[in-house]
Amino acid sequence: MKQVVQSVSGGEVRIVEVPRPEPAATEVLVAVRRSLLSAGTERAVRELASASLLSKARARPDLVRQVVHKARTDGVRTTLAAVRGRLDEDMPLGYSAAGVVVTAGAATDGIRPGTRVATASAGHAEYQAVPGLLAVPVPDAVSDQAAAFGAVAAIALQGLRQAEVGVGGTVAVVGLGLVGQLSVRLALASGLRVIGVDLRGWTAELATSGGATGLVEAGAATTEEIMEMTRGRGVDAVLITAATRSSGPVTRSAEIARDRARLVVVGDVGLELDRRTFYERELDLRFARSYGPGRYDRTYEEWGVDYPIGHVRWTARGNIETYLDLVASRRIQVDDLVTHVFEVEQASAAYEALAADPRSLAVQLRYAAAIEPAGETVLIRPRRGSSRPRAGLIGAGLYARATFLPALKAAGWAADLTAVTSAKGLTARHLAERNGIASVTGSVPDLLGRDDVDVVFILSRHDSHADLARQALDAGKHVFVEKPLALTQDELDEVSAAYHRNSGHLFVGFNRRHAPMVSHARRILAAGEGPVTVAYRINAGRLPDSHWYHDRRQGGRIRGEVCHFVDLASWLVGREPSVVHAYGSGRGELGLEEDVSILLGYPDGSTATITYCTRGNQQTSKERVEILGRGHTVVIDDFRRLEVDGREIRRVAAGKGHQQLLAQVRQTIVGQRPDERETEASFATTRTVLAVIAALAGGPGPGSIPPTRTDAEVGVSARFGS
């Protein structure tokens, strides 16, 4: 299918061929008929993408701070690779469209194939995978052209709802671009008196033709005119729909507002304000968040959980529904706002018109209505034969691009990357183009069915790992799966059964085992006998609430990251623990705690303590491992510094072992070394992490005296390493 994308680094708009997206259970697949270019939003995005690196940094100082922090914790080289990966991305454009449902996920409600819908939060593409709550059925009386305004109109409507102006009130709309014009018409349909203000005469005239009073901004003269129209009181509310770095629109809005009026910021404007004006008149400054309640809420958008109507009357979906109903009843019309229509193949010309034509307002893309078969493969370059193991990748996110692929190619796989697939297709296309991968497949079954794929690398979200590993093993493939291997005991049992009934190798991405400093430490410890004590401290840092680790479906940080540290501790000891103690902070959902202390006991008397904390200082190194025993003390600090018996060892390379692990994967597949111990150790690590979760669930309550033992027993069935 065709999709419109933009280069993050250069701002170039182009059309790319990508496989159709695979909708999740809470999503619907939509064949798009029309999509709308939002002049303000998309113009701003394009300008930022086209800006210099310095300008980007000035526009997003928050991201600069994140880069500095990552450089301190992960090193400059790793950080540069991540930044270059981000800048090299293709970004999908667009978020407001209309089309026909092709398939509906099992967890969607009231939407069936063949239903016309208005969609939000999906890009300009022939097919979209859209959250079910953001795919709104379109009344028969509403055209595709009008329905494509749905998401943009919801933005305008949410601003109006935030203004809370009753019938008979007066509202001013400052900034008469596309969102401003929609705001004018929605306010008029709500029974309000509307004054539109803009610097351009033609937009003011357009507002007037729609029933408002359109004014060209002229400073004090405009203020005087508005005061005269409102009997000297000022307007009851101002919707600020301008897009400018200047704080002028907000400052001017305060001058035309009545005492205790509401000012609602809808557009992206400057906010360097004089407090006195707002204080003396007790003005209420508000912000409208996109389409309305539910936007940016993972529970609403990704999980498909709607808000109870008695608590939240107007959600993002409700705002789109309201707009569509107003169009269907002819209370507002929008067709005259459309200034340009292009075929999707002409998307570059559409964006040029948006930038060059000062009277461009609503620019739309039109799509062919034919529904194509799923599962297509997009060839990036001709296929080639090879007697060496050939690789297929599932997942193409930032980790795959910035960390995994460079390590994979350095480990000798560069010439044997055959195919890649991802849920949305665009990321897979981008990864294939940048890494010489032969083709992009439309789905996981397509990739697993290929004869030219011998080994599958699973780099997708955590909740998919176990099922994909089972499918790939049953398809006769060798499998590398990023950690975690499984999120539950049932998943682990299924993967274990698939591994033992098939002949394919299974590898798990516990790369720290293979870090050069760890290998050096193991050689030193192997010369002695007796138990060892491992102390592992992790300064993990906080994650924003929006991070996917907070999605309970992904298992949380204990299953998803602490597994690394459990694995390394046991790898250093050389055995699977027999007893697990775990104590958490008590903050967060059960099993999703982010601060935890773990004590592991081993049959030979060895112990390991793992302290995982998110509240440390950012200047502190992320990982520090101390191993004491067998006559030695070994310290590994952030995999960049190695100390043995008080003396720094400089000849051992830094790094966390990604390349070394992937080189070993290749050696194992071609028969140069066995994998049984590594695989059984990975099963043991997963059992141990699940025991940690169980120990947290059964541990003492906050403030109570713990019993003699609060532990989870795990089997002693695996030896770690040689």
Side-chain angles (χ1 to χ4, degrees):
M1 72 170 191
K2 297 179 178 65
Q3 183 165 8
V4 182
V5 300
Q6 175 183 21
S7 167
V8 171
S9 58
E12 175 193 4
V13 174
R14 62 193 183 112
I15 314 295
V16 295
E17 285 286 344
V18 299
R20 275 170 42 172
E22 290 288 321
T26 58
E27 295 179 325
V28 297
L29 181 67
V30 176
V32 179
R33 291 180 174 177
R34 286 288 184 106
S35 64
L36 175 70
L37 278 64
S38 174
T41 302
E42 299 199 46
R43 186 181 286 125
V45 169
R46 290 205 65 202
E47 288 175 354
L48 180 60
S50 303
S52 66
L53 192 58
L54 179 60
S55 298
K56 287 183 173 73
R58 287 172 175 166
R60 293 297 305 272
D62 56 320
L63 296 182
V64 174
R65 288 191 292 271
Q66 291 180 27
V67 169
V68 171
H69 173 60
K70 184 174 179 65
R72 287 171 176 164
T73 56
D74 295 349
V76 174
R77 181 176 298 178
T78 300
T79 303
L80 283 174
V83 170
R84 287 171 180 150
R86 284 290 192 190
L87 292 175
D88 193 40
E89 287 181 351
D90 284 329
M91 178 175 60
L93 294 171
Y95 63 89
S96 190
V100 178
V101 174
V102 179
T103 59
T108 58
D109 185 29
I111 301 178
R112 290 178 291 193
T115 303
R116 268 198 322 139
V117 290
T119 66
S121 296
H124 302 304
E126 290 181 310
Y127 293 89
Q128 300 174 335
V130 187
L133 290 176
L134 297 181
V136 183
V138 177
D140 291 340
V142 180
S143 67
D144 292 337
Q145 178 170 279
F149 281 83
V152 178
I155 293 171
L157 186 53
Q158 178 61 15
L160 183 59
R161 294 200 193 283
Q162 287 287 76
E164 296 184 52
V165 181
V167 174
T170 302
V171 61
V173 179
V174 175
L176 296 175
L178 179 57
V179 175
Q181 297 292 342
L182 289 168
S183 298
V184 165
R185 298 181 184 202
L186 289 165
L188 288 168
S190 302
L192 304 178
R193 185 181 185 188
V194 184
I195 302 170
V197 182
D198 199 278
L199 295 171
R200 299 163 294 181
W202 72 272
T203 56
E205 292 173 2
L206 185 58
T208 300
S209 68
T213 300
L215 301 176
V216 177
E217 167 59 17
T222 301
T223 302
E224 183 177 345
E225 191 170 355
I226 291 174
M227 288 300 171
E228 183 176 344
M229 286 188 285
T230 57
R231 299 181 177 90
R233 300 167 183 153
V235 298
D236 298 300
V238 184
L239 304 181
I240 304 167
T241 55
T244 175
R245 296 178 183 176
S246 169
S247 302
V250 184
T251 301
R252 286 289 292 124
S253 296
E255 294 172 359
I256 63 175
R258 65 165 170 81
D259 189 64
R260 293 181 173 84
R262 295 184 181 90
L263 277 58
V264 182
V265 177
V266 181
D268 186 5
V269 293
L271 290 170
E272 295 180 8
L273 308 175
D274 184 352
R275 174 182 177 274
R276 291 173 299 175
T277 302
F278 290 83
Y279 171 78
E280 291 169 359
R281 301 170 65 188
E282 202 171 349
L283 297 174
D284 186 350
L285 182 63
R286 298 184 175 187
F287 293 82
R289 185 170 64 185
S290 193
Y291 324 133
R295 182 64 173 129
Y296 308 121
D297 181 346
R298 178 181 290 119
T299 303
Y300 185 90
E301 294 189 341
E302 295 184 23
W303 303 351
V305 180
D306 204 350
Y307 302 129
I309 194 168
H311 293 270
V312 184
R313 176 60 184 93
W314 299 112
T315 61
R317 181 184 183 87
N319 282 337
I320 298 174
E321 285 178 342
T322 298
Y323 160 74
L324 294 172
D325 289 342
L326 288 171
V327 174
S329 63
R330 301 181 182 275
R331 295 180 64 185
I332 67 170
Q333 67 89 23
V334 295
D335 289 339
D336 62 313
L337 299 179
V338 179
T339 56
H340 304 75
V341 178
F342 295 88
E343 302 300 325
V344 65
E345 294 83 0
Q346 301 172 301
S348 296
Y351 279 93
E352 290 173 4
L354 197 65
D357 186 349
R359 287 180 173 260
S360 62
L361 200 58
V363 178
Q364 290 198 348
L365 298 178
R366 184 165 47 209
Y367 303 76
I371 298 178
E372 301 172 0
E376 71 269 26
T377 295
V378 180
L379 294 179
I380 305 301
R381 61 178 173 82
R383 299 179 185 171
R384 46 133 192 92
S386 174
S387 60
R388 298 185 296 184
R390 297 154 299 179
L393 282 72
I394 301 175
L398 180 60
Y399 172 77
R401 299 192 302 273
T403 301
F404 193 84
L405 258 295
L408 191 66
K409 293 196 290 187
W413 290 90
D416 301 302
L417 303 176
T418 300
V420 61
T421 188
S422 66
K424 303 304 180 186
L426 178 59
T427 54
R429 163 96 191 198
H430 179 84
L431 186 141
E433 287 181 336
R434 300 303 191 273
N435 293 278
I437 299 176
S439 59
V440 178
T441 62
S443 67
V444 169
D446 292 338
L447 186 140
L448 297 182
R450 294 177 66 110
D451 293 333
D452 58 352
V453 171
D454 305 304
V455 55
V456 175
F457 291 89
I458 299 172
L459 311 172
S460 52
R461 286 288 177 93
H462 292 179
D463 61 341
S464 66
H465 286 185
D467 185 55
L468 291 175
R470 178 191 58 77
Q471 290 184 49
L473 287 167
D474 285 340
K477 310 298 183 184
H478 305 295
V479 176
F480 176 100
V481 56
E482 257 304 329
K483 54 78 193 168
L485 175 60
L487 300 181
T488 66
Q489 186 62 49
D490 287 344
E491 288 185 352
L492 180 60
D493 292 343
E494 290 177 1
V495 175
S496 178
Y499 171 66
H500 288 102
R501 68 173 172 259
N502 291 290
S503 60
H505 294 287
L506 174 64
F507 311 89
V508 183
F510 292 126
N511 51 278
R512 283 163 176 76
R513 297 178 188 174
H514 304 278
M517 292 181 180
V518 171
S519 298
H520 187 83
R522 278 173 56 85
R523 285 193 294 271
I524 291 173
L525 295 172
E529 294 183 353
V532 298
T533 297
V534 179
Y536 204 153
R537 186 270 298 151
I538 303 96
N539 181 34
R542 293 180 181 270
L543 294 175
D545 291 341
S546 59
H547 194 281
W548 60 265
Y549 256 134
H550 294 304
D551 181 345
R552 65 174 68 92
R553 296 174 300 179
Q554 306 307 322
R557 296 178 84 171
I558 295 175
R559 292 179 178 89
E561 186 176 25
V562 174
C563 61
H564 263 315
F565 317 127
V566 169
D567 182 78
L568 181 54
S570 296
W571 190 254
L572 289 166
V573 172
R575 297 177 183 271
E576 178 180 5
S578 56
V579 179
V580 175
H581 298 262
Y583 297 88
S585 63
R587 296 183 294 118
E589 295 182 42
L590 185 64
L592 299 182
E593 295 182 68
E594 295 198 342
D595 293 272
V596 62
S597 294
I598 300 167
L599 173 61
L600 306 177
Y602 296 85
D604 67 345
S606 295
T607 59
T609 57
I610 299 170
T611 303
Y612 184 86
C613 182
T614 64
R615 294 165 287 148
N617 188 278
Q618 292 185 353
Q619 305 300 319
T620 305
S621 62
K622 181 179 178 181
E623 299 179 41
R624 181 180 175 88
V625 190
E626 296 185 3
I627 311 109
L628 296 89
R630 301 173 187 172
H632 296 285
T633 299
V634 180
V635 179
I636 300 173
D637 192 6
D638 237 3
F639 297 91
R640 288 186 284 182
R641 184 178 184 275
L642 174 65
E643 184 181 293
V644 178
D645 301 333
R647 183 168 57 91
E648 184 176 359
I649 308 299
R650 297 180 180 274
R651 66 178 183 274
V652 180
K656 294 182 179 178
H658 294 94
Q659 179 180 336
Q660 291 80 4
L661 168 59
L662 294 170
Q664 181 173 304
V665 168
R666 189 175 185 85
Q667 292 168 4
T668 302
I669 290 174
V670 299
Q672 295 178 2
R673 59 178 298 155
D675 77 331
E676 285 79 6
R677 284 182 173 174
E678 292 251 352
T679 304
E680 292 301 331
S682 298
F683 286 142
T685 291
T686 307
R687 285 194 295 270
T688 303
V689 171
L690 294 176
V692 169
I693 300 296
L696 288 171
S704 64
I705 299 175
T708 304
R709 284 178 57 160
T710 56
D711 53 59
E713 300 291 343
V714 295
V716 186
S717 59
R719 289 184 62 84
F720 284 64
S722 55

